Amino acid sequence: MSRSTSTRRAPILAIYATVVFAFIYLPIVVLILYSFNRDGVGGFPPSHLTLDWYRQLFTDGPIWDSVLNSLLVASGAVALSLTVGLLAALALDRASFPGKALFRRLVLLPLILPGIITGLSLLMFVVLSGAQLSLFTVFLGHGTALISVATTELFAGLQKSDRAQEEASLDLGATPWQTFWRITLPNLRLALVAAGLLIFTLSMDEIAVTFFLIGRDNTLPLEIWGRLRRGITPEINAVSTLVFAVSVVLIIVWYRIRMRSVGTEAQQLPERP
Amino acid sequence: MSSAPILQPTSADANAPLLEVRAIAKRFGTRDVLKNISLNIASGELLTLLGESGSGKTTLLRLIAGFEQPTAGEIWMSGERLDVLPPYKRRVNTVFQNYALFPHLHVRDNVAYGLRVQSVPKNEIAGRVDDALKMVKMVEFAGARPSRLSGGQQQRIALARALVNRPQLLLLDEPLSALDASLRKQMQSELKALQREIGITFLFVTHDQEEAMALSDRIALLRDGALEQVASPREIYAHPATAYTAEFIGQTNLLRGEICRSIATCGVLRWPLEEADAPARFSLRPEAIRLCPDGRRQTNEVKFRASVRQQIYGGASELLEVDCGADQLLRVRLPACGPLTGEHDFVFSIADAIRVAD
Amino acid sequence: MYSRAYKTLVSAPPLIWVALFLLLPYGLMFAHSFWTVQDGVLVHDWNLSNYQKLLTNSLYAEVLFRTMRIAASVMLCSLLLGYPLAYYLSFHSGARKELLYQLVIVPLWVSYLVRGYAWKTILGSEGILNGFLQYFHFTHEPVSFLLYSPFAVVLMLTHIYTPFVFLPIYASLEHIPRPLVEASEDLGASPASTFFRVILPLSMPGLLAGATFAFVLSLGDFLAPLLVGGSSGTMIANIVQTLFGATYDWPLGAAISVSILLITLTLLFLTERLEKRWSFE
């Protein structure tokens, strides 16, 4: 990269970028700030610092039930979408079958279609099958919709990995089964962890599909949604702040993993012709 | 797998070829990458597949390794049909072009990989891995990650990883192409010494004719998916069968002319040749031409007068471009002789003008 | 190098899963759009009456038109915010580039609902913005038009999709080989003409991808109108949601959904064509 073009100063652009950043961060800052405000959400400036809303939150049974439900659904969705997504990525990378192009597009549809369409389609399917709406249908919906994310990430991982390594493994006497467990999967482990984290976060936050598939037990976003109708309280700010904090921790984990992978790739680069 | 010591070739009959490639063809879509290739490799031999990129040499290697299936033909090794076996059941191992070391395994585990997946007893694995690392002088790197190693070191580990399995045949896919020139020369001589020492048959793929000359017992030259010539380096240099071979291996002057009434004529050059009348091409190596200061030639020599057009100094030798008149240019390699200008007499021996096919 | 058994083993399960849990549901949606409801019972007689209703009843056209306008505004606003940001980061941010990049990514991980909720607390008539305006005596009465309006929907969705629009644009800007920029300057182009003649055309694929993304996702959004839109901010997906809920006219809802899906797929198809035209590799 040329030093001259990358460090040239552009003061007007810099100011504009700062404004955009302010716009992006304003709601988040407001949210966190007012979760510590004794007089509730609204009014300016925020006055008395308090942890009351957090105290209230920790004794709020339904919220924690919904958090548990969300964790259950998200863990299941990660397992389901990674399993099917891994096979789908392998199939797209290595097999050729009739309708492959269609399959590729179909898998990706939930990623690019509005959630309401996927959610309603699945609702019709559940109703047709005669099943009851429950956390299980939510898990099924999340898992299926997020196969798109798993397939995209893992397919990219497969494309980056060196095919010669699998050939080397077969060449050294390993069966395809051994090669899959000893070479293919370990080579994909970063993509697997990254996809898993992403799917987990997306599932924890999913609302459009969940909206139509939910039964009696709420996930966290739907619990919050339900409370918003009854009016806004700083307790929601408090739980949102906690969700934000967990997200930030996950981001940091994700970057650690990514930096590590980038690091090893960088080390290998000079050896490659 | 047998546990024969690594220093002995495992082939039973030294006279029978180890590997037989029988009328192999390979087609990718509508492209014929290999056309009817037949080739034998003797046990203990170092054979080089030489060719330009796209000549099909790597495809032939991958067919023998088992990564591709032939469109037609068969491959046999030690009296056993090879092309029907999956790669992991062949006693053939490969050193890959970019080594394909497993980045998530330490050097020791990379080398042990083949033994582990074939369930060799643990106590035997340790010894064999140590032996293999000793053989390539990399014992002290056993605990390192492949990404920490230099290109040359990775090359050695790739070699150890393939040899620890005691293959009957080792395939090497341009293993030196990623190394810089000096390291390359060093690895060439080490590879050759190692092959002599352990006696395993090597099939070596390269596009570099100098490397092929330096390493090989025999060279198989591929052109557009067909074998052009298979011979020892000396034979292929001294007696190229075709114009393509003559130009690909070393430098040469290709003379185009005809034979008429037992006289060969190529431009201003003429010499007696007892062969049937026909158009003909000859290869005349630049070093076969000498200066003839006294103007006298032997009976088996051709003399011509030419003016020096260009002179390139090359240390021990000089490369001249001379004009024999009528715009017929020849390259001449002389021992270092100082600056040369104007017209001179040159001679070459008739036996050095090798008739080649088109 | 992979055997037939291997290929079957990896492709069969995802094919079956996707056929059963994606293709079949989408197909059901399509089928429903040709059915009708009589006296609260689904009748499986195939006809086009739902689509006729969509074309003849001006309410649907009106809402659809408003939805498109909102989606287009969101797309335009996120481009206006996202492109300069991406350009600044890619070309002028120097050593802080990686840090700033991550700062754009972080909000992507923050819950959609939470961010929408935050806007609600800011814009409301008892909200923070009104408190702020009155505290500094810009106004004395609460400004009530902020919340529950198409404006609020556009603001909230722009906030959510700006980082999404930023990402592909930034990626395509990063892909531009820097010597091209230097060559342009070397040949006498001013920074502005370098931008319009070299950088902008080469970043078109990213720009198109980001724009389509913002438009398509806004088009099918039903949560933002519920949160901050009010009745004047109702969008087409809200009608679908009502038809599936309170009104219980699934076939008509399905017909609208299929229409949204068709608009979406057409747009994606067009973008793909355009992206190919603008990619020079």
Side-chain angles (χ1 to χ4, degrees):
Chain A
M1 167 144 352
S2 140
R3 186 172 301 156
S4 64
T5 42
S6 65
T7 58
R8 189 177 295 163
R9 298 167 68 97
I12 298 172
L13 256 179
I15 293 167
Y16 191 85
T18 313
V19 171
V20 178
F21 269 118
F23 171 66
I24 293 177
Y25 275 92
L26 172 76
I28 298 168
V29 171
V30 162
L31 181 89
I32 296 172
L33 217 57
Y34 278 81
S35 76
F36 298 105
N37 185 26
R38 196 190 61 191
D39 297 336
V41 192
F44 186 89
S47 46
H48 298 88
L49 207 66
T50 178
L51 287 174
D52 286 352
W53 304 113
Y54 288 89
R55 264 182 227 121
Q56 196 175 319
L57 176 66
F58 279 105
T59 55
D60 189 330
I63 286 264
W64 293 107
D65 287 344
S66 70
V67 168
L68 199 67
N69 291 340
S70 275
L71 288 174
L72 261 170
V73 167
S75 315
V78 168
L80 174 60
S81 55
L82 280 187
T83 310
V84 183
L86 175 61
L87 292 174
L90 286 170
L92 287 176
D93 189 44
R94 295 145 188 216
S96 53
F97 46 87
K100 186 172 172 179
L102 180 74
F103 175 71
R104 186 199 302 270
R105 279 158 202 270
L106 199 61
V107 165
L108 293 184
L109 266 191
L111 196 63
I112 45 181
L113 282 187
I116 189 172
I117 292 179
T118 307
L120 285 175
S121 302
L122 285 166
L123 170 67
M124 291 174 170
F125 175 73
V126 171
V127 168
L128 181 85
S129 71
Q132 286 287 314
L133 289 177
S134 66
L135 282 184
F136 182 75
T137 52
V138 175
F139 145 76
L140 215 63
H142 284 198
T144 303
L146 292 170
I147 290 172
S148 50
V149 176
T151 307
T152 318
E153 292 271 319
L154 297 175
F155 183 71
L158 280 177
Q159 297 271 296
K160 263 194 291 179
S161 71
D162 186 5
R163 185 71 64 89
Q165 291 201 4
E166 287 180 45
E167 289 177 354
S169 170
L170 295 173
D171 186 74
L172 291 167
T175 62
W177 184 247
Q178 286 173 314
T179 301
F180 177 79
W181 288 105
R182 285 168 179 265
I183 304 301
T184 315
L185 266 194
N187 270 342
L188 275 181
R189 69 200 189 285
L190 285 165
L192 279 166
V193 173
L197 272 176
L198 190 57
I199 290 164
F200 188 84
T201 328
L202 288 174
S203 169
M204 284 297 285
D205 184 35
E206 216 293 324
I207 183 155
V209 172
T210 321
F211 198 89
F212 300 101
L213 296 178
I214 197 80
R216 203 173 303 137
D217 303 309
N218 268 346
T219 59
L220 179 62
L222 278 176
E223 180 69 28
I224 295 178
W225 179 261
R227 285 168 188 238
L228 283 183
R229 297 185 152 180
R230 280 180 262 140
I232 51 185
T233 76
E235 202 189 333
I236 298 178
N237 288 50
V239 69
S240 303
T241 303
L242 289 184
V243 170
F244 176 63
V246 172
S247 303
V248 169
V249 170
L250 283 181
I251 300 165
I252 293 171
V253 171
W254 148 257
Y255 271 111
R256 278 279 164 84
I257 292 165
R258 238 199 75 197
M259 293 315 265
R260 228 174 56 196
S261 81
V262 170
T264 51
E265 267 169 30
Q267 281 165 10
Q268 281 171 3
L269 270 183
E271 330 280 355
R272 290 182 187 161
Chain B
M1 266 214 157
S2 82
S3 51
I6 203 163
L7 297 180
Q8 284 176 13
T10 44
S11 170
D13 182 359
N15 293 325
L18 175 74
L19 187 88
E20 289 175 70
V21 174
R22 295 182 188 164
I24 281 286
K26 178 66 183 175
R27 171 188 288 257
F28 286 119
T30 56
R31 225 166 64 82
D32 286 313
V33 180
L34 291 175
K35 304 161 194 159
N36 195 26
I37 301 268
S38 291
L39 180 66
N40 287 351
I41 304 178
S43 191
E45 185 178 28
L46 198 164
L47 185 117
T48 298
L49 286 175
L50 177 64
E52 296 169 312
S53 63
S55 61
K57 55 192 191 304
T58 296
T59 304
L60 182 53
L61 190 92
R62 290 171 63 82
L63 284 167
I64 297 170
F67 306 137
E68 309 282 355
Q69 301 305 312
T71 310
E74 294 173 3
I75 303 171
W76 289 70
M77 190 166 82
S78 309
E80 192 186 11
R81 180 109 183 246
L82 196 66
D83 56 294
V84 293
L85 296 177
Y88 50 93
K89 288 197 180 141
R90 303 186 185 197
R91 293 206 53 191
V92 173
N93 286 119
T94 309
V95 175
F96 288 80
Q97 186 167 13
N98 296 319
Y99 320 132
L101 295 180
F102 306 127
H104 61 295
L105 301 180
H106 292 110
V107 163
R108 164 175 293 281
D109 297 323
N110 259 283
V111 177
Y113 186 89
L115 303 176
R116 290 221 175 102
V117 294
Q118 291 167 80
S119 311
V120 172
K122 275 213 171 69
N123 48 4
E124 191 188 330
I125 292 179
R128 280 170 69 173
V129 169
D130 281 339
D131 287 346
L133 286 173
K134 252 178 236 156
M135 186 174 67
V136 296
K137 307 184 189 81
M138 289 290 289
V139 178
E140 67 268 36
F141 293 95
R145 291 260 188 205
S147 58
R148 297 269 170 217
L149 303 182
S150 71
Q153 290 166 334
Q154 292 190 21
Q155 158 76 64
R156 287 160 193 264
I157 299 306
L159 200 57
R161 185 179 70 174
L163 287 175
V164 78
N165 276 17
R166 292 171 189 156
Q168 291 186 322
L169 172 65
L170 185 73
L171 308 176
L172 302 102
D173 185 9
E174 308 228 10
L176 305 180
S177 63
L179 305 179
D180 60 46
S182 65
L183 192 54
R184 216 171 150 143
K185 288 273 184 317
Q186 184 195 333
M187 284 307 293
Q188 279 175 13
S189 59
E190 280 190 33
L191 263 182
K192 178 127 185 157
L194 186 69
Q195 196 261 343
R196 286 275 145 73
E197 186 186 323
I198 60 180
I200 287 179
T201 312
F202 277 28
L203 179 60
F204 191 99
V205 160
T206 184
H207 63 273
D208 179 345
Q209 53 98 10
E210 274 186 54
E211 189 166 283
M213 297 284 274
L215 278 173
S216 318
D217 294 325
R218 280 194 304 155
I219 295 175
L221 181 63
L222 272 165
R223 178 193 185 187
D224 292 336
L227 278 175
E228 190 81 358
Q229 189 171 0
V230 185
S232 72
R234 284 176 200 283
E235 173 70 16
I236 210 169
Y237 186 81
H239 298 284
T242 64
Y244 179 83
T245 308
E247 287 204 303
F248 195 85
I249 311 266
Q251 275 189 322
T252 199
N253 296 296
L254 269 186
L255 311 177
R256 187 187 289 274
E258 56 171 3
I259 302 166
C260 187
R261 289 181 214 128
S262 300
I263 299 287
T265 311
C266 297
V268 298
L269 305 174
R270 292 159 64 88
W271 65 91
L273 190 66
E274 292 291 338
E275 280 184 43
D277 292 4
R281 300 183 84 180
F282 300 89
S283 159
L284 181 61
R285 298 284 182 195
E287 65 272 19
I289 305 174
R290 289 179 288 107
L291 268 176
C292 182
D294 55 1
R296 264 182 275 164
R297 65 171 181 89
Q298 312 289 320
T299 50
N300 62 345
E301 283 179 341
V302 181
K303 190 183 83 170
F304 61 95
R305 194 157 177 82
S307 59
V308 177
R309 295 260 298 242
Q310 201 179 44
Q311 183 173 20
I312 298 167
Y313 176 58
S317 67
E318 317 240 11
L319 187 65
L320 308 183
E321 192 177 83
V322 301
D323 186 349
C324 342
D327 278 334
Q328 189 176 13
L329 299 178
L330 288 178
R331 277 181 288 192
V332 179
R333 188 177 296 283
L334 299 176
C337 60
L340 217 59
T341 49
E343 291 206 337
H344 297 274
D345 284 326
F346 296 91
V347 290
F348 62 88
S349 157
I350 290 170
D352 284 332
I354 310 294
R355 187 164 177 196
V356 292
D358 277 328
Chain C
M1 70 179 262
Y2 302 101
S3 67
R4 188 174 295 249
Y6 181 99
K7 290 176 182 171
T8 313
L9 212 63
V10 298
S11 33
L15 271 175
I16 293 169
W17 189 278
V18 163
L20 194 60
F21 292 104
L22 274 182
L23 192 58
L24 184 58
Y26 286 135
L28 267 177
M29 168 80 85
F30 195 64
H32 265 80
S33 74
F34 297 104
W35 298 339
T36 47
V37 167
Q38 279 162 16
D39 305 325
V41 181
L42 197 66
V43 184
H44 296 222
D45 57 341
W46 300 80
N47 60 63
L48 289 168
S49 65
N50 294 314
Y51 292 99
Q52 259 163 8
K53 240 182 265 176
L54 288 187
L55 289 174
T56 49
N57 190 333
S58 65
L59 169 79
Y60 300 115
E62 198 181 299
V63 177
L64 184 64
F65 190 63
R66 180 198 298 153
T67 306
M68 301 263 248
R69 223 171 41 218
I70 290 178
S73 310
V74 171
M75 176 184 88
L76 210 64
C77 292
S78 346
L79 281 180
L80 284 177
L81 295 179
Y83 196 104
L85 186 66
Y87 176 71
Y88 173 74
L89 253 67
S90 184
F91 283 88
H92 296 286
S93 63
R96 288 165 304 164
K97 189 182 205 164
E98 187 60 20
L99 176 75
L100 292 178
Y101 175 77
Q102 295 183 19
L103 271 181
V104 185
I105 304 294
V106 167
L108 272 177
W109 292 64
V110 178
S111 165
Y112 171 97
L113 188 58
V114 164
R115 289 193 281 161
Y117 163 73
W119 279 110
K120 192 180 167 107
T121 68
I122 292 171
L123 297 175
S125 57
E126 308 255 299
I128 292 146
L129 183 57
N130 267 311
F132 175 84
L133 292 175
Q134 287 171 47
Y135 183 79
F136 288 106
H137 302 288
F138 291 118
T139 60
H140 300 282
E141 297 286 302
V143 182
S144 58
F145 65 83
L146 291 172
L147 193 58
Y148 304 127
S149 64
F151 161 78
V153 176
V154 172
L155 187 69
M156 175 184 158
L157 290 178
T158 301
H159 176 253
I160 283 168
Y161 293 126
T162 296
F164 279 106
V165 169
F166 165 90
L167 278 181
I169 295 175
Y170 180 75
S172 62
L173 286 174
E174 284 288 275
H175 266 114
I176 298 175
R178 293 313 190 251
L180 293 185
V181 177
E182 284 162 7
S184 166
E185 288 174 350
D186 182 68
L187 294 167
S190 68
S193 35
T194 298
F195 175 79
F196 285 108
R197 286 166 183 273
V198 178
I199 295 173
L200 187 60
L202 289 177
S203 65
M204 265 328 244
L207 194 150
L208 282 169
T212 315
F213 207 72
F215 188 87
V216 163
L217 289 182
S218 305
L219 196 68
D221 196 284
F222 68 103
L223 295 161
L226 287 179
L227 263 174
V228 299
S231 59
S232 66
T234 299
M235 289 166 69
I236 194 77
N238 294 100
I239 294 191
V240 176
Q241 180 218 345
T242 320
L243 286 170
F244 270 81
T247 320
Y248 199 72
D249 190 346
W250 286 23
L252 187 58
I256 300 180
S257 298
V258 169
S259 311
I260 298 177
L261 196 139
L262 286 180
I263 296 173
T264 306
L265 292 183
T266 311
L267 276 174
L268 289 172
F269 173 74
L270 289 177
T271 315
E272 204 171 302
R273 296 285 303 265
L274 276 176
E275 269 181 50
K276 266 191 200 129
R277 235 181 98 184
W278 283 100
S279 88
F280 304 97
E281 279 159 18

